[in-house]
Amino acid sequence: MSRSPGRHRARSRHRLGTAATTRSVPWPSEPPGPFLIVCTAIVLTATTAYASAIAPPPAPSQAVPAAALSPSKPAAPQAPRPVREAATPAPSPAKPAKPRQTATKRAGQSPPTAVVRPAPAPSAPKPTAAPAQPPSQPAPPAAPADATLGEQLNAIIAVNSGYRLGVALVDMSDGVVRQYGVREKFVAASTGKILAAAAYYHLAETGVLSLAAPTGGQTAAFQIRQMIQQSNNTSWALILGTIGHQGIEDYAASLGIPYDRTFNTLSPAETARILMLLYTGRLLSPAHTAELLSYMQNTNYESLIPAAVPPDVTVFHKYGLLNGNLHDASILVQGQRAYAFVVYSLGASVAEIPVQTIIIRQLAQAVVDQVF
């Protein structure tokens, strides 16, 4: 390849040392015009081919600004851009982007694998412990709010017809005994202890007996308290032994109640009458009335009527539990209003006591909701 005239002249000056001794070398004649054009075209073609071979392909999604093509200002070299999918606005940090439903697969790039995590299944509700209740005896439905009290009580009794249920309610203001369900006598169980306590107090007030008399290593007054508040059967036997079989039956007869001490039977209405006479002061003196009522509070078994009564209602009661008999005889007081409320129930065995407990509470709740 021929050397350019400029390089040949510079190299000659360097060898001669100074400009004063430099000899003038004649320039070769310029090549003709067509030859120069052909050479220039060959050089440009080769340069363009080489640049095309080594330059990375432009990203299809990136438009080249027009200013970069201006010959007056060469464009700054740019780093190759990675091939990406169609441009998507970057998600806000506070709001994560939803996963794409579909993806376009490009050459040379595998789409990211989406891990689909199933939503956690809702936890099953924890089972609620149900009262021990036979399947054939569902809890009675709530009576309509506009129903009368009698309709509510009768509805509860009817839906539990598998049990023998008797209810008596007395409004202390009129003394009328209202009865629902069974009206016949039940085995009174420990509710009969109220009659025994009233009989002993009466005999003490008439001077026949004394509350201070030694009885079973304690006084008679102590045994009455144990008999009522703790439902102590030994104390009951001691009090009955002092009164005598005939003495207790005579006292009941004086109240208009036929009572057979051998079988200890009373109806719900008869027990409600005893409570009404006690609370209104027609049974005992005020001091003995207050004392006996105080024993009927905070007893050793508060799971029946007291459990269904709100705190603003005062409850005096005596429960009874014997074999399949479950009873509760109570006096409910709120302000100037007072009621004698008695529930007697009989199931097939003691295994049904939990169901009878629920029924008694439901009956008590219906009464409290209506009368107070």
Side-chain angles (χ1 to χ4, degrees):
M1 186 175 177
S2 60
R3 296 177 180 175
S4 62
R7 295 177 60 185
H8 176 77
R9 185 168 54 188
R11 197 172 288 177
S12 299
R13 284 198 300 266
H14 181 72
R15 283 198 299 265
L16 296 176
T18 63
T21 59
T22 300
R23 292 182 298 173
S24 174
V25 180
W27 288 90
S29 61
E30 296 290 334
F35 178 78
L36 178 61
I37 294 173
V38 171
C39 293
T40 303
I42 292 173
V43 171
L44 291 176
T45 301
T47 304
T48 303
Y50 179 76
S52 299
I54 66 173
S61 60
Q62 299 293 330
V64 180
L69 302 177
S70 174
S72 60
K73 184 179 180 181
Q78 296 183 357
R81 297 179 180 272
V83 178
R84 298 186 301 175
E85 292 187 347
T88 303
S92 170
K95 185 178 180 181
K98 296 182 180 179
R100 299 174 62 88
Q101 298 298 325
T102 59
T104 302
K105 186 175 182 181
R106 295 184 179 272
Q109 179 180 7
S110 298
T113 303
V115 180
V116 180
R117 299 185 183 276
S123 57
K126 296 182 180 180
T128 304
Q133 184 173 356
S136 59
Q137 296 294 332
D146 58 350
T148 64
L149 176 58
E151 291 173 340
Q152 288 181 312
L153 296 178
N154 285 327
I156 296 173
I157 292 171
V159 79
N160 292 283
S161 58
Y163 298 91
R164 190 169 186 253
L165 296 168
V167 177
L169 181 67
V170 181
D171 187 339
M172 301 293 188
S173 64
D174 59 22
V176 177
V177 179
R178 297 166 178 85
Q179 301 183 67
Y180 309 92
V182 177
R183 302 188 179 192
E184 289 77 19
K185 291 179 180 287
F186 289 71
V187 174
S190 290
T191 61
K193 295 172 182 177
I194 299 174
L195 180 62
Y200 198 103
Y201 277 120
H202 172 72
L203 293 174
E205 290 176 0
T206 59
V208 176
L209 295 174
S210 171
L211 291 170
T215 307
Q218 297 287 342
T219 63
F222 175 85
Q223 300 298 351
I224 290 174
R225 177 170 185 167
Q226 289 296 107
M227 177 180 67
I228 299 297
Q229 195 169 52
Q230 302 300 320
S231 200
N232 190 300
N233 288 331
T234 300
S235 298
W236 188 19
L238 290 171
I239 294 298
L240 285 175
T242 303
I243 297 172
H245 190 103
Q246 191 61 45
I248 188 77
E249 291 185 352
D250 290 345
Y251 177 73
S254 69
L255 304 177
I257 298 173
Y259 177 68
D260 185 347
R261 171 64 194 96
T262 302
F263 299 101
N264 183 33
T265 54
L266 290 168
S267 70
E270 290 169 345
T271 302
R273 175 173 172 79
I274 295 172
L275 294 176
M276 184 267 294
L277 294 173
L278 172 64
Y279 186 78
T280 57
R282 289 181 279 173
L283 200 62
L284 303 172
S285 68
H288 290 156
T289 297
E291 186 172 87
L292 181 53
L293 288 174
S294 71
Y295 297 160
M296 295 170 67
Q297 287 185 293
N298 303 317
T299 70
N300 67 323
Y301 198 82
E302 299 289 292
S303 302
L304 299 172
I305 291 176
V309 173
D312 59 344
V313 176
T314 302
V315 182
F316 309 95
H317 80 115
K318 182 69 193 78
Y319 77 95
L321 174 59
L322 179 65
N323 299 327
N325 291 279
L326 182 65
H327 316 319
D328 205 3
S330 68
I331 299 171
L332 308 177
V333 182
Q334 186 185 60
Q336 300 299 316
R337 309 198 67 181
Y339 293 83
F341 173 56
V342 178
V343 180
Y344 278 5
S345 69
L346 176 62
S349 67
V350 293
E352 298 186 356
I353 292 300
V355 183
Q356 293 167 256
T357 299
I358 294 173
I359 297 170
I360 292 174
R361 291 175 183 173
Q362 291 176 335
L363 292 166
Q365 185 66 59
V367 169
V368 170
D369 289 345
Q370 290 288 335
V371 303
F372 294 120

